[in-house]
Amino acid sequence: MSTGTAQPATADLLDGVDLGRIDAHLAGFAALTEPGPGCTRLAYSPLERQAHAVFAAHMTALGLTVTTDHAGNTVAELPPTGPNTGSGDARALGTGSHLDTVPQGGGFDGIVGVVAAMEVAEIVVRQEAAHRRPWRFVAFAAEEGARFGQACNGSRMAAGLTGAADLAGLTDRDGVTVADAMAAVGLRPDLVDASRWRPEEWFAFVELHIEQGEVLRSQGVDLGVVDVISGSTRLRVRAEGRATHSGGTPMHLRRDALVAAAECVVLGDRLARDPRHHGVRVTVGRLRVEPGSITTVPGSVEFFVDVRDVDSVRQRDTARTLAAEFAALARDHGVALTTEVIADTSPVILPGWVADHIRHACASLGLPYRVLPSGASHDAQQIAHVIPTGLLFVPSDDGLSHVPAEFTPTSQIASGVRTLLAALHRLDGTS
Ligand code: GLV
Ligand code: MN
Ligand code: MN
């Protein structure tokens, strides 16, 4: 792919980034939350839909054409303007991220990328900046895997990785399927196959996101250009023992499902810390104990394991090893254990030529950057299956994310927005 002649973003355009506007958008989204610590705006909840409506209203007010597809993704399009309109390659450029959060999460994961899209759109419209491609600004639906196990539902449907037939098999903790949750907020799960993006319409997509790790902060660098995004394999494990009286049942007669599950949790942690598995991350973040009484030996436990890696072979080998070793451990406790893969997403290597444009954008602004992998999943990871995609990071204070304390200073977000704008400008002038 030729990189053609770069079209530098003008200083005026970059000067247009308004920190007050960014703060106001972030505060507006943060207010759309369930009660409790941090921000809770779950995938395919009414609050997530409200956030999409705020995004749509902003883009409509700017004069963009806004559509929400059957998967719940909202796309705002700005047609080409200026002297080169209609000349040459007219495939679209895109940017955006997601508006849902994990339970008791923060106000930055995903939101920063959508706010960046809103800010880029506002600057380009206000300054009537010329661009020869259509620019599309996207708020993806249901990126977080916290509710249904599978992450990135909206972008997976856009990329054709998840279809209508898959939506009845994924449930939340109350047994609500993705399909039912979508229908409850007015979407059409039966029609999502029509939400698939047409790759031939697209030139490139760039997502801005917070790092959700410590690398940029610890190195004092404000920008990260991602080369590879970790995959994840998620397991649902059910351990069935025997619920009995906690006082009346001697220790040698117990089949305690929680003791078996606890040993599995520790085993997963040990395995991931073993230098031979260096790089894999294993987490058990959700566990349900039945009957959940102080005075009853736990009879059954359900828990979820998240295995993440940038190496797809090691990711899946680790998941298989865990399933086998969990079963052996449980047998020692007289507990029956079953493991099921509920979600599996491959790591993705992002195309170097898109990353080069982002790196050159950083350099053109005199902003130091670091090339790094992403430990978290992203909409960019799904979109990259069908469209050349880049991912730009801004730092996370203390490396924290998925918690109320998640924070990125507005000045760093603004550096990200300027770099995004410059990168989109470069890509706009490229064939
Ligand atoms: C998204 O933040 C993820 O869970 O990786
Ligand atoms: Mn995210
Ligand atoms: Mn997240």
Side-chain angles (χ1 to χ4, degrees):
M1 177 103 36
S2 138
T3 49
T5 309
Q7 195 182 319
T10 65
D12 283 353
L13 217 47
L14 299 173
D15 285 349
V17 175
D18 184 324
L19 278 66
R21 232 168 16 213
I22 291 172
D23 279 339
H25 289 316
L26 289 170
F29 286 121
L32 296 174
T33 177
E34 289 176 24
C39 199
T40 300
R41 191 168 54 245
L42 299 184
Y44 293 134
S45 64
L47 282 166
E48 186 210 45
R49 291 298 96 204
Q50 279 184 42
H52 277 249
V54 168
F55 172 74
H58 178 82
M59 294 309 205
T60 304
L62 289 175
L64 277 66
T65 306
V66 181
T67 50
T68 297
D69 65 20
H70 297 303
N73 300 316
T74 305
V75 181
E77 177 158 327
L78 186 61
T81 56
N84 294 324
T85 305
S87 67
D89 184 353
R91 287 172 294 162
L93 273 182
T95 187
S97 190
H98 62 97
L99 286 169
D100 60 318
T101 74
V102 298
Q104 302 188 359
F108 295 79
D109 171 4
I111 326 306
V112 160
V114 176
V115 167
M118 292 161 81
E119 185 61 12
V120 167
E122 181 143 4
I123 293 166
V124 172
V125 168
R126 277 178 186 242
Q127 303 200 14
E128 297 176 1
H131 54 102
R132 71 186 179 96
R133 298 179 181 281
W135 285 22
R136 294 181 181 166
F137 303 93
V138 185
F140 288 107
E143 190 269 355
E144 296 292 356
R147 181 170 181 192
F148 296 107
Q150 175 69 66
C152 303
N153 282 295
S155 49
R156 286 178 65 85
M157 289 186 240
L161 300 170
T162 290
D166 303 310
L167 301 178
L170 296 162
T171 54
D172 69 7
R173 65 177 77 216
D174 299 320
V176 178
T177 65
V178 178
D180 288 345
M182 292 175 76
V185 292
L187 298 169
R188 291 291 305 268
D190 52 325
L191 299 180
V192 296
D193 294 345
S195 305
R196 201 164 166 169
W197 290 4
R198 289 184 194 83
E200 63 276 14
E201 288 181 5
W202 289 86
F203 181 64
F205 190 91
V206 181
E207 179 174 3
L208 174 67
H209 202 282
I210 58 168
E211 183 201 338
Q212 308 180 279
E214 296 255 19
V215 175
L216 298 178
R217 185 203 59 85
S218 64
Q219 299 195 359
V221 177
D222 280 1
L223 296 166
V225 182
V226 175
D227 54 358
V228 55
I229 305 178
S230 294
S232 66
T233 301
R234 300 205 169 124
L235 310 174
R236 172 170 36 217
V237 185
R238 291 197 170 109
E240 293 294 335
R242 189 172 58 131
T244 51
H245 195 285
S246 63
T249 316
M251 299 311 284
H252 71 284
L253 290 181
R254 292 180 182 218
R255 289 163 44 208
D256 186 326
L258 181 56
V259 171
E263 290 198 11
C264 293
V265 173
V266 172
L267 177 109
D269 187 77
R270 287 223 178 98
L271 181 131
R273 287 171 196 271
D274 183 320
R276 285 168 296 179
H277 292 267
H278 181 75
V280 72
R281 283 93 61 208
V282 174
T283 308
V284 176
R286 193 167 125 201
L287 188 137
R288 191 172 47 79
V289 182
E290 299 290 349
S293 156
I294 297 177
T295 54
T296 309
V297 174
S300 71
V301 173
E302 179 182 63
F303 63 97
F304 294 81
V305 187
D306 184 16
V307 180
R308 307 231 196 184
D309 208 315
V310 290
D311 178 328
S312 62
V313 173
R314 196 171 50 192
Q315 172 189 324
R316 275 123 193 179
D317 275 356
T318 301
R320 269 191 294 274
T321 303
L322 289 175
E325 298 204 6
F326 286 175
L329 257 179
R331 266 196 302 277
D332 292 346
H333 291 277
V335 168
L337 183 142
T338 53
T339 300
E340 181 194 353
V341 176
I342 57 162
D344 187 71
T345 301
S346 299
V348 164
I349 297 170
L350 296 172
W353 69 267
V354 181
D356 282 349
H357 279 290
I358 303 174
R359 292 192 306 105
H360 284 124
C362 297
S364 70
L365 300 178
L367 296 170
Y369 64 89
R370 142 114 205 209
V371 176
L372 77 177
S374 169
S377 308
H378 294 289
D379 294 310
Q381 176 175 14
Q382 320 306 328
I383 293 305
H385 284 275
V386 288
I387 296 165
T389 296
L391 179 58
L392 172 66
F393 276 168
V394 289
S396 294
D397 262 19
D398 292 328
L400 289 174
S401 184
H402 284 184
V403 290
E406 183 179 87
F407 183 70
T408 302
T410 316
S411 59
Q412 290 179 335
I413 296 173
S415 293
V417 175
R418 287 190 192 96
T419 307
L420 175 67
L421 188 44
L424 291 172
H425 240 270
R426 288 183 61 87
L427 288 160
D428 190 74
T430 305
S431 302

